Amino acid sequence: QVQLVESGGGSVQTGGSLRLSCVASGDIDGDIWMGWFRQAPGKEIEGVAAFYARSWRTHYSDSVKGRFTISQDKVKNTAYLQMNNLQPEDTAMYYCAADRLVGRLLDGRASIQGRGTQVTVSS
């Protein structure tokens, strides 16, 4: 089974940027969605962004539209989440995930997911 490993988290000030990476141990292609969800302490899981590998359809949550961009490097089997203009409310553990159903990915029930990378935004 494909494994996902995230990196790129860290601490930034409000307005800063980070780029998360998610390396897949195998090919991510075909009939599958890949993306990110996040969870902050005491808060519900929030699906952040995802793309459909076969046709490059994308999904973004309203809270990150215009600030976050998801992308993929097929050669490197890597997905990226470029996060700009970060706000304190973006502070959370970010998980990379993959599933055939985007709904399962976005609510944290994906069949494949990584261990997460922490993003902290200070005001």
Side-chain angles (χ1 to χ4, degrees):
Q1 187 177 6
V2 173
Q3 293 183 326
L4 305 175
V5 179
E6 306 95 333
S7 63
S11 297
V12 296
Q13 292 187 328
T14 298
S17 298
L18 286 172
R19 188 177 78 157
L20 305 184
S21 299
C22 174
V23 179
S25 60
D27 290 340
I28 297 292
D29 205 351
D31 185 22
I32 195 165
W33 287 83
M34 186 172 180
W36 304 82
F37 67 90
R38 65 188 181 186
Q39 188 167 29
K43 295 187 177 180
E44 294 185 353
I45 287 172
E46 179 185 11
V48 175
F51 67 86
Y52 183 55
R54 181 169 289 173
S55 65
W56 195 247
R57 290 164 55 195
T58 57
H59 168 89
Y60 292 94
S61 67
D62 288 342
S63 63
V64 306
K65 278 181 183 176
R67 301 188 298 124
F68 291 13
T69 303
I70 193 169
S71 62
Q72 180 193 24
D73 185 329
K74 288 187 176 182
V75 174
K76 296 182 179 179
N77 288 331
T78 301
Y80 301 98
L81 185 67
Q82 177 66 43
M83 307 185 295
N84 297 328
N85 191 22
L86 284 160
Q87 303 296 312
E89 53 266 35
D90 295 316
T91 295
M93 184 70 81
Y94 284 70
Y95 297 88
C96 180
D99 198 283
R100 287 193 170 189
L101 300 178
V102 66
R104 288 206 299 239
L105 187 159
L106 295 176
D107 67 12
R109 296 182 296 115
S111 57
I112 307 170
Q113 67 182 59
R115 294 187 175 184
T117 185
Q118 178 68 37
V119 172
T120 302
V121 186
S122 57
S123 58

Short mmCIF file of all heavy atoms in Angstrom, two decimals, residues 3 12 16 39 43 48 52 54 56 62 65 73-74 78-80 98 108:
data_model
loop_
_atom_site.label_atom_id
_atom_site.label_comp_id
_atom_site.label_asym_id
_atom_site.label_seq_id
_atom_site.Cartn_x
_atom_site.Cartn_y
_atom_site.Cartn_z
N GLN A 3 2.35 4.68 1.00
CA GLN A 3 2.49 5.43 2.24
C GLN A 3 2.76 6.89 1.91
O GLN A 3 3.38 7.21 0.88
CB GLN A 3 3.63 4.86 3.08
CG GLN A 3 3.34 3.46 3.60
CD GLN A 3 4.45 2.94 4.50
OE1 GLN A 3 5.62 3.23 4.30
NE2 GLN A 3 4.06 2.17 5.51
N VAL A 12 5.51 30.26 11.91
CA VAL A 12 5.66 31.51 11.18
C VAL A 12 4.80 32.58 11.84
O VAL A 12 3.90 32.26 12.63
CB VAL A 12 5.25 31.39 9.69
CG1 VAL A 12 6.17 30.43 8.95
CG2 VAL A 12 3.80 30.97 9.56
N GLY A 16 2.90 35.20 6.99
CA GLY A 16 4.00 34.42 6.42
C GLY A 16 3.53 33.29 5.52
O GLY A 16 2.32 33.10 5.31
N GLN A 39 -6.35 19.56 11.59
CA GLN A 39 -7.08 19.52 12.85
C GLN A 39 -6.32 20.29 13.91
O GLN A 39 -5.14 20.02 14.15
CB GLN A 39 -7.33 18.09 13.32
CG GLN A 39 -8.25 18.03 14.54
CD GLN A 39 -8.76 16.64 14.82
OE1 GLN A 39 -8.10 15.65 14.51
NE2 GLN A 39 -9.95 16.55 15.42
N LYS A 43 -10.76 21.27 18.04
CA LYS A 43 -11.59 21.65 16.89
C LYS A 43 -11.84 20.47 15.98
O LYS A 43 -11.12 19.47 16.02
CB LYS A 43 -10.93 22.79 16.11
CG LYS A 43 -10.83 24.09 16.90
CD LYS A 43 -10.32 25.22 16.01
CE LYS A 43 -10.28 26.53 16.77
NZ LYS A 43 -9.78 27.65 15.92
N VAL A 48 -8.90 20.80 3.72
CA VAL A 48 -8.28 22.04 3.26
C VAL A 48 -8.25 22.13 1.74
O VAL A 48 -8.75 23.09 1.16
CB VAL A 48 -6.86 22.15 3.84
CG1 VAL A 48 -6.16 23.38 3.29
CG2 VAL A 48 -6.90 22.20 5.35
N TYR A 52 -7.92 15.80 -7.92
CA TYR A 52 -8.25 14.50 -8.51
C TYR A 52 -7.16 14.18 -9.52
O TYR A 52 -6.95 14.92 -10.48
CB TYR A 52 -9.62 14.57 -9.18
CG TYR A 52 -10.09 13.26 -9.76
CD1 TYR A 52 -10.17 12.11 -8.98
CD2 TYR A 52 -10.49 13.18 -11.09
CE1 TYR A 52 -10.61 10.92 -9.51
CE2 TYR A 52 -10.94 12.00 -11.63
CZ TYR A 52 -11.00 10.86 -10.84
OH TYR A 52 -11.44 9.67 -11.37
N ARG A 54 -6.65 12.09 -11.91
CA ARG A 54 -6.90 11.77 -13.32
C ARG A 54 -7.16 13.00 -14.15
O ARG A 54 -6.76 13.08 -15.30
CB ARG A 54 -8.08 10.80 -13.42
CG ARG A 54 -8.42 10.37 -14.84
CD ARG A 54 -9.39 9.23 -14.84
NE ARG A 54 -8.76 7.99 -14.38
CZ ARG A 54 -9.41 6.85 -14.15
NH1 ARG A 54 -10.72 6.80 -14.29
NH2 ARG A 54 -8.78 5.77 -13.77
N TRP A 56 -7.15 16.47 -12.76
CA TRP A 56 -6.72 17.69 -12.10
C TRP A 56 -7.91 18.59 -11.76
O TRP A 56 -7.88 19.81 -11.96
CB TRP A 56 -5.68 18.46 -12.91
CG TRP A 56 -5.02 19.50 -12.03
CD1 TRP A 56 -5.12 20.85 -12.13
CD2 TRP A 56 -4.23 19.26 -10.87
NE1 TRP A 56 -4.42 21.47 -11.12
CE2 TRP A 56 -3.88 20.52 -10.32
CE3 TRP A 56 -3.79 18.11 -10.22
CZ2 TRP A 56 -3.09 20.65 -9.17
CZ3 TRP A 56 -3.00 18.25 -9.08
CH2 TRP A 56 -2.68 19.49 -8.58
N ASP A 62 -13.45 27.04 1.81
CA ASP A 62 -13.66 28.49 1.69
C ASP A 62 -12.65 29.27 2.52
O ASP A 62 -12.24 30.38 2.16
CB ASP A 62 -15.09 28.86 2.13
CG ASP A 62 -16.13 28.42 1.13
OD1 ASP A 62 -15.77 28.14 -0.03
OD2 ASP A 62 -17.31 28.34 1.52
N LYS A 65 -9.32 29.50 0.30
CA LYS A 65 -9.35 29.91 -1.10
C LYS A 65 -8.64 31.24 -1.29
O LYS A 65 -8.83 32.18 -0.53
CB LYS A 65 -10.79 30.03 -1.59
CG LYS A 65 -11.42 28.72 -1.99
CD LYS A 65 -12.85 28.93 -2.48
CE LYS A 65 -13.49 27.60 -2.81
NZ LYS A 65 -14.91 27.77 -3.20
N ASP A 73 3.82 17.05 -8.32
CA ASP A 73 4.93 16.70 -9.19
C ASP A 73 4.86 15.19 -9.39
O ASP A 73 5.25 14.42 -8.51
CB ASP A 73 6.26 17.11 -8.56
CG ASP A 73 7.45 16.87 -9.47
OD1 ASP A 73 7.39 15.93 -10.29
OD2 ASP A 73 8.43 17.62 -9.37
N LYS A 74 4.34 14.78 -10.55
CA LYS A 74 4.13 13.35 -10.78
C LYS A 74 5.44 12.58 -10.83
O LYS A 74 5.51 11.42 -10.41
CB LYS A 74 3.34 13.14 -12.06
CG LYS A 74 1.88 13.53 -11.97
CD LYS A 74 1.13 13.15 -13.22
CE LYS A 74 -0.34 13.46 -13.10
NZ LYS A 74 -1.10 13.06 -14.30
N THR A 78 5.03 13.53 -5.53
CA THR A 78 4.94 14.47 -4.42
C THR A 78 3.82 15.47 -4.66
O THR A 78 3.66 15.98 -5.76
CB THR A 78 6.26 15.22 -4.22
OG1 THR A 78 7.30 14.28 -3.97
CG2 THR A 78 6.17 16.19 -3.06
N ALA A 79 3.06 15.72 -3.61
CA ALA A 79 2.05 16.78 -3.63
C ALA A 79 2.52 17.91 -2.73
O ALA A 79 3.22 17.67 -1.73
CB ALA A 79 0.71 16.25 -3.15
N TYR A 80 2.13 19.11 -3.09
CA TYR A 80 2.54 20.28 -2.34
C TYR A 80 1.31 21.10 -1.95
O TYR A 80 0.31 21.13 -2.66
CB TYR A 80 3.47 21.17 -3.18
CG TYR A 80 4.71 20.48 -3.66
CD1 TYR A 80 4.80 19.96 -4.94
CD2 TYR A 80 5.83 20.35 -2.83
CE1 TYR A 80 5.94 19.32 -5.39
CE2 TYR A 80 6.98 19.71 -3.27
CZ TYR A 80 7.02 19.20 -4.55
OH TYR A 80 8.16 18.57 -4.98
N ALA A 98 -5.05 10.37 0.91
CA ALA A 98 -5.48 9.96 -0.42
C ALA A 98 -6.64 8.99 -0.31
O ALA A 98 -6.64 8.12 0.58
CB ALA A 98 -4.32 9.33 -1.20
N GLY A 108 -11.26 13.48 7.02
CA GLY A 108 -10.29 12.73 7.81
C GLY A 108 -10.50 11.23 7.85
O GLY A 108 -9.96 10.57 8.74
#
